[in-house]
Amino acid sequence: MQNLRDREKLVEWDKNYLWHPFTQMQDWLTEDPVIIERGEGVYLIDIDGNRYLDGIASMWTNIHGHNHPDLNSALKTQLDAIAHSTLLGYSNIPAIKLAKKLVAITPSGLNKVFYSDNGSTAVEIALKIAIQYWQHKGQSERNLFIHFDNAYHGDTVGAMSVGGIPTFHSIFNSLLFKNVQITAPEVYYTSRKDCDSTLVKEAWLNSVNRALIENRGRVAGIILEPLIQGAGGMLLAPKGFLKGVEELARQHGTLLIVDEVMTGFGRTGRMWACEHEDVSPDLLCTAKGLTAGYLPLAATLTTDDIYEAFLGEYHELKTFFHGHTFTGNPLGCAVALENIAIFEREDLIKKVQATIQHLHDRLEEFYTLHHVGDIRACGMAVGIELMENTERRILYRFEEKMGIRVCKAALERGAILRPLVNTIVLMPPLQITIAELDSLLDITYKAIAEVTE
Ligand SMILES: *Cc1c(COP(=O)(O)O)cnc(C)c1O
């Protein structure tokens, strides 16, 4: 697409002016960057015309493929009306319609929608609503959150405070507010493959119960990623754990905050991960798949009970004093509405079941590779963990960059991946065809074999 001089210029400007997220820039500067120019379905196309399968749905966001005609057209139609107007004191059409739609498609009881721009802010809002809710209820000593080892809820300070990944968060310890972190039980690490064991579930739930008892009357809420922890390494929760946490939250009279930023919009094979265990949280956060990977938009949904606690006379200062400039952006809301319309038109949740089945069947093959220690899959979210020695479960050292090396090998073969340390993540758009999926799996298999065997 680009002539050679343009290409050189782009690379030079990238290295001169850009600071990439979650990237060691010293490494980056020595490498030849892939610069994406276009998208076509599940393919990303770079400035040299190379086509890559988008194996991670552009950071876990894409659902129906890139450059989708219906999404494009919804966006263009809205653009011809207006790109942005504020929700602070005024309203707009797509924000109203999307709020109604979200209430209709989320678990029962979630009847109010608060918009923001990304997953981290959706979580911040949930935490702040919980804190303020308890103040209005006259229980301001409820100001602690129970959260979990390996949890990831975003990179802003509040979201980090309820995170559990020391590599990301420990540098900022001095900024983080105090919470109650539930340590993974020993049995969890020794029996990961057997992750629906009731033993693991009971051990986790006992820890949560203990924390609730030890902090009686002080817990504002329990926050978790339902069914699968994403950035922590695609770690599966034992079956029934989510339901168990919900029951504990109810028993102890605290709030349940479910972070569906990654799991929402069909990723787990149901529209919401909560549906697998018939869970109705008090607060639900959604972002990544909300606009099918098109625009930054997020929402925090909550119940009538919580919403009503904020009602009062103007001078009582019960207002929720929080809002972002682009809250309820009409372009984002319009494309989100079309995203949901496609789910409904194409009965996508039903359609994706065959894709999930095929994916899970084929993943078994990966155990024939000597350095594949663990394969964890939940719907269309997969983590393949590489190990130096799978029998003795010895991990590769961080410096070996095994995950990064496998992803480079996959890139050579035509797939874009991004690892979580030694775990290779597969998270393709839900609309990937079986043939495309096969090709993604073949590439991944060969890349792992090439680097590790
Ligand atoms: C990605 C993610 C976030 C943060 O979302 P951003 O849009 O990157 O701020 C929060 N929670 C979960 C579970 C996520 O996967």
Side-chain angles (χ1 to χ4, degrees):
M1 283 272 93
Q2 309 280 323
N3 68 41
L4 200 61
R5 272 191 56 82
D6 283 349
R7 186 189 197 288
E8 277 170 10
K9 245 190 253 156
L10 284 170
V11 172
E12 186 190 321
W13 292 348
D14 178 291
K15 293 186 177 181
N16 281 347
Y17 303 116
L18 260 180
W19 188 344
H20 290 264
F22 279 99
T23 302
Q24 177 42 260
M25 293 307 290
Q26 185 172 300
D27 290 346
W28 178 271
L29 294 177
T30 66
E31 285 161 16
D32 198 22
V34 175
I35 304 174
I36 301 300
E37 186 174 34
R38 288 181 302 121
E40 251 177 55
V42 298
Y43 286 91
L44 295 167
I45 301 154
D46 73 8
I47 54 173
D48 303 313
N50 297 311
R51 293 165 66 85
Y52 307 95
L53 277 161
D54 187 354
I56 47 162
S58 292
M59 229 33 243
W60 316 350
T61 60
N62 196 283
I63 292 173
H64 311 294
H66 298 277
N67 218 338
H68 191 286
D70 299 341
L71 295 169
N72 288 10
S73 138
L75 198 47
K76 285 171 188 164
T77 305
Q78 181 55 42
L79 188 57
D80 285 335
I82 188 170
H84 184 65
S85 63
T86 185
L87 276 201
L88 278 70
Y90 303 89
S91 203
N92 75 61
I93 299 168
I96 295 170
K97 288 186 175 167
L98 179 61
K100 179 170 188 291
K101 194 77 207 177
L102 284 172
V103 166
I105 66 169
T106 45
S108 69
L110 296 170
N111 291 337
K112 303 288 171 188
V113 178
F114 197 99
Y115 289 115
S116 61
D117 318 331
N118 60 72
S120 307
T121 53
V123 169
E124 297 283 342
I125 288 161
L127 301 178
K128 286 178 71 175
I129 287 179
I131 291 290
Q132 191 172 338
Y133 168 78
W134 288 117
Q135 290 185 24
H136 295 329
K137 288 284 187 187
Q139 297 191 46
S140 46
E141 59 291 352
R142 284 196 184 270
N143 57 11
L144 291 173
F145 291 96
I146 289 183
H147 63 107
F148 294 89
D149 262 5
N150 303 310
Y152 180 79
H153 297 292
D155 292 332
T156 50
V157 173
M160 280 196 296
S161 296
V162 290
I165 307 177
T167 327
F168 298 173
H169 306 136
S170 57
I171 297 169
F172 306 105
N173 262 340
S174 60
L175 286 179
L176 307 185
F177 53 79
K178 204 175 152 291
N179 282 307
V180 183
Q181 184 161 335
I182 304 295
T183 318
E186 195 62 34
V187 50
Y188 171 71
Y189 288 111
T190 49
S191 66
R192 263 210 202 153
K193 250 188 189 173
D194 179 26
C195 53
D196 56 0
S197 95
T198 37
L199 208 63
V200 182
K201 184 183 82 171
E202 292 310 323
W204 271 113
L205 290 177
N206 282 339
S207 306
V208 178
N209 193 34
R210 248 192 329 270
L212 283 162
I213 292 167
E214 278 165 19
N215 298 284
R216 194 182 292 283
R218 299 199 50 213
V219 178
I222 308 174
I223 180 165
L224 81 168
E225 294 158 89
L227 303 195
I228 178 168
Q229 292 179 314
M234 298 298 148
L235 307 171
L236 301 174
K239 207 166 176 191
F241 175 68
L242 177 61
K243 190 72 193 170
V245 172
E246 182 191 42
E247 282 161 4
L248 286 174
R250 301 293 165 242
Q251 267 171 37
H252 292 264
T254 192
L255 301 177
L256 178 66
I257 305 169
V258 167
D259 177 354
E260 291 245 24
V261 169
M262 179 188 85
T263 51
F265 287 92
R267 187 48 65 185
T268 66
R270 304 287 292 269
M271 196 61 167
W272 307 97
C274 281
E275 291 174 26
H276 290 267
E277 300 189 0
D278 194 22
V279 162
S280 301
D282 299 290
L283 290 143
L284 180 146
C285 308
T286 175
K288 287 191 170 91
L290 176 57
T291 62
Y294 263 58
L295 285 172
L297 181 74
T300 307
L301 282 94
T302 194
T303 60
D304 290 332
D305 173 50
I306 291 178
Y307 170 83
E308 281 160 15
F310 288 70
L311 302 178
E313 296 300 325
Y314 187 70
H315 64 85
E316 289 181 86
L317 297 177
K318 284 187 169 181
T319 305
F320 185 45
F321 290 106
H322 185 110
H324 301 281
T325 310
F326 283 99
T327 291
N329 172 259
L331 291 174
C333 292
V335 79
L337 274 165
E338 184 58 26
N339 172 29
I340 299 168
I342 299 173
F343 264 96
E344 291 174 348
R345 227 168 27 238
E346 303 189 6
D347 204 355
L348 182 54
I349 294 298
K350 187 155 170 241
K351 196 166 105 183
V352 80
Q353 302 308 318
T355 320
I356 291 171
Q357 188 61 52
H358 184 77
L359 171 65
H360 289 205
D361 289 347
R362 277 214 56 192
L363 282 172
E364 286 302 312
E365 293 164 29
F366 284 73
Y367 277 123
T368 59
L369 292 163
H370 295 108
H371 293 277
V372 167
D374 207 2
I375 300 169
R376 299 182 289 271
C378 178
M380 292 286 279
V382 175
I384 302 170
E385 188 170 0
L386 309 175
M387 291 180 190
E388 168 102 62
N389 183 318
T390 56
E391 242 104 86
R392 290 161 57 207
R393 300 189 75 75
I394 298 170
L395 307 182
Y396 283 110
R397 280 170 302 121
F398 189 75
E399 315 79 87
E400 288 181 87
K401 298 204 230 168
M402 283 315 263
I404 291 177
R405 280 157 63 190
V406 168
C407 293
K408 281 213 174 100
L411 185 73
E412 301 285 311
R413 294 170 186 274
I416 286 199
L417 301 178
R418 167 115 183 144
L420 294 163
V421 196
N422 292 324
T423 297
I424 307 302
V425 175
L426 294 178
M427 182 100 62
L430 297 193
Q431 296 262 22
I432 193 168
T433 65
I434 299 286
E436 289 161 343
L437 183 59
D438 276 333
S439 149
L440 176 65
L441 289 162
D442 291 343
I443 290 171
T444 309
Y445 187 95
K446 286 179 192 149
I448 295 174
E450 181 191 313
V451 174
T452 63
E453 302 270 292

